[in-house]
Amino acid sequence: MTARYNQSLEEVIRTLQTNIEQGLTTEEAQRRLEEQGPNALEQAKKTPMFLRFLLQFKDALTIVLLLAAVISIVIDPHEWIDSLIIVIVVVLNAILGIVQESKAEKSLEALNQMSAPKATVIRDGKKTRIDSREIVVGDILLLEAGDSVASDARLIEVHNLKVDESALTGESVPVTKEVKELEEVPLGDRVNMVFASCNITYGRGVAVVTTTGMDNEVGKIATLLMSTKNELTPLQIKLDQIGKTIGILALVVCIIVFAMEVLSGMGILEAFKTAVALAVAAIPEGLATVVTIILALSVTKMVKQNAIVRKLPAVETLGSTSVVCSDKTGTLTQNKMTVIKVYHPDTGVVRLENSDDPEVIKMLNYFTLCSDGDIVVKDGKEEAIGDPTETTLVKASLLKGYTKSDLYKEYARKEELAFDSDRKMMTVFYRYHDRLISITKGGLDVILARCDTIPNKEEILQANEHMANDALRVLAVAIREWESMPKLEPTIVEDHMTFIGMVGMIDPPRAEAKEAVSLAKRAGIRTIMITGDHKLTATAIAKDLGILEEGQLAMSGSELQNLSDEEFSEKIEQYSVYARVSPQDKVRIVKAWQSQGKVVAMTGDGVNDSPALKSADIGCAMGITGTEVAKGAAALILTDDNFATIIASIKEGRGIYDNIRKCVQFLLASNMGEVFTIFTASIVSLLTPLNLGVPLLPIHLLWVNLITDSLPAFALGTEEAESTVMERKPREKEESFFAGGLLSTIVWQGIMIGSLTLIAYIYGNSIDHNVGMTMAFLTLSTAQLVHAFNVKSHHSILNKSLFSNRYLWGAFLVGSLLQILLISVPVLSNIFKLVPLTVTQFAICILLSLSTVVICESVKRINRK
């Protein structure tokens, strides 16, 4: 679609084949509607629920389990209980997965909801109100304050028209629109255009529609959203890799054991039962469920900390974040202009809060009087009415104790000359006691040019430069006294004035953002500012927050567009600030950091942020100021719009990752112990005259994996994050889940548990096979319950920390009680093929289980030395 902002108005009208006065005819509009389609955004195709449910069964572990269950029941239908339990476990895991995925992406739906439902156009020469879906290219739009723009359009006529484009461009100040033809400029500088889903805040205008639907700027964002794939989080990738590895190993070992059992003289049916038992032992059935529940519990905890997680694994991803790309407006700043500094000839440049000089206050009141905005109090809350710049000036007077209504008791408003973009000034006449005065506000250059009385021009210019260096937007005010009301012509009214002073305003940083950036820096996390605002303003804010440090640079969107992706990736480390950027630029920035192996979090609140929110490893949307589009594209929503909440979430994420590693260590060590027990028994039976048989049945292993293991694993997931968690560097994106010796720890701890279980089994099997199975079952389950305490900390547990997790103690007591019930209650013991034990046999099992503490404490002591 050809850009229209850089064409002459005559060329635009001729190309679009429309008429400024008459608009389109009804017949022509209908024809174009049929040809172009409705002025609406395309909907993303959703995966059917049934297909999403089936996709839950594609996991390697799930496939191995289902195969074992099916083959088992085909070979021996009498052994249906084991198969039924396996199927129930698999189906429950699938249901849990589908529930977590049921929050389908609503980004495009939210984009549609943002579109103005009605619009005013000229059709057949008449003003007509139509559904915005029926708008076509060439329609003449009539725009008024309060309207939401229905479609992108080139302006034909403006009357003090201002448009809030912050949701689309990130620009915090409403844009003053003009009709003039432009050169090639970025989206934020196209002042002769209005864009769909932006709001008219002031004045009125007429425009010709240039694009509709997906061709609009907001439609391009929708296209980006549809073309951006949902990437798996690092945790999902790692757990998927673990699952596939375990599944392949389980199949290989099962085949080997089956062959060994057959070679040792065991019947094919019994050998297959051993292989199935080994498959069940090797596969940590509860792993996915435990991790999901740990994340769910963490999500509940994070809600209390003002963070809503839309996708469970996202909280872990945030914990591994190494780069935070943050939008400026409304995220790092307050999204409200504020007068920071003032200049009066009597005082010089001073901060507003430090000046109570009567002349300064009088100057602020002049600014307030020369404005149409106001601040009123409703239900105890201040509410700004009118243009944000004007309400900012009213607020400055309010801080000094003057409301607009107070001033109107002394100043009687008479006439005004409204602001326009050519004059860049506004003038209001007041009767003040027996005097008639005019108050004029505007840009410093135009005000000075019209003043006869200027106290110290050189000092004023230096003050202006001082404020400009702080990226403050400067407005000046001047007055003139009159004998009688003059003719209301700018050349007459706005001349021969007396300069009074000026103010500098900016959208200030959030108070808590500076500390949050500092905390992130100590945690090894780089904060990057991305904004649609001007480079000078962005740089000043970034320096104030500590984002832009010595040796780091800022880049504009136009500079970025001149770099290839390869050049940009090479230079990415140099830049901490990006200004005047487009939605596509934001995605490029995110992807460039990702190409360097970084885990990238993107924060934002506007429509313009949504593609980058979705492209990032984790998107964080603002809950208060955030658009529904941004929330729909994000994985995390900050309900207090507080940048500091991101840092708290990162700490929580790091703690959760530690807890998940503990859970995986605990569960896989337990499974390793089970595999070692059965595998070793098979080798002993094959290589020696001693026929040990099967130490544990599939039903025993399923019980241990789903009940005995899962309860302590859940409890380990509630461990509080260590106090030093934010003092270490972020994990590398490609870092193995088993880094830091985790795999070797799992192996030796698995052999430890397996060896203790095998000792108990051999002892009991010498008395009776059922006694041996019961002793193996009790030793295995109790050893794992005890071992959970060893895993809770890398340090010794023989101190106060032993009692710090009440959930772990609860899991230990419940697990122990269940084991005793299984052995003691005849109905249950018959199902599980267990027998009562003597006191001696029971004591041996308990002592063997407790020995895991002695062994682990000894290893920890050796490691410390």
Side-chain angles (χ1 to χ4, degrees), residues 1 4 12 15-18 24-42 123 130 132-140 150-152 208-216:
M1 186 63 68
R4 302 297 181 191
V12 172
T15 305
L16 299 181
Q17 297 179 344
T18 188
L24 298 172
T25 64
T26 303
E27 294 76 15
E28 176 62 17
Q30 185 60 37
R31 187 191 68 78
R32 293 189 184 191
L33 184 63
E34 291 171 1
E35 180 182 293
Q36 300 165 8
N39 179 37
L41 301 174
E42 294 175 11
R123 291 268 177 94
I130 63 170
S132 64
R133 289 175 58 87
E134 298 173 7
I135 284 177
V136 295
V137 172
D139 261 327
I140 305 299
S151 197
D152 291 6
V208 56
V209 174
T210 55
T211 54
T212 59
M214 296 299 287
D215 291 326
N216 286 333

Side-chain angles (χ1 to χ4, degrees), residues 589-600 615-617 733:
I589 294 165
V590 168
K591 290 189 178 297
W593 277 111
Q594 289 172 328
S595 71
Q596 300 299 310
K598 304 296 184 182
V599 176
V600 182
S615 295
D617 294 290
K733 194 169 188 176

Side-chain angles (χ1 to χ4, degrees), residues 499-541:
F499 179 85
I500 299 298
M502 55 189 177
V503 296
M505 60 184 76
I506 198 170
D507 179 12
R510 289 177 174 271
E512 63 279 3
K514 193 168 187 176
E515 177 59 27
V517 169
S518 177
L519 276 172
K521 198 177 299 178
R522 292 200 293 274
I525 300 163
R526 179 89 174 264
T527 304
I528 304 297
M529 179 191 286
I530 303 177
T531 178
D533 218 333
H534 291 280
K535 187 174 177 179
L536 182 63
T537 305
T539 300
I541 294 288

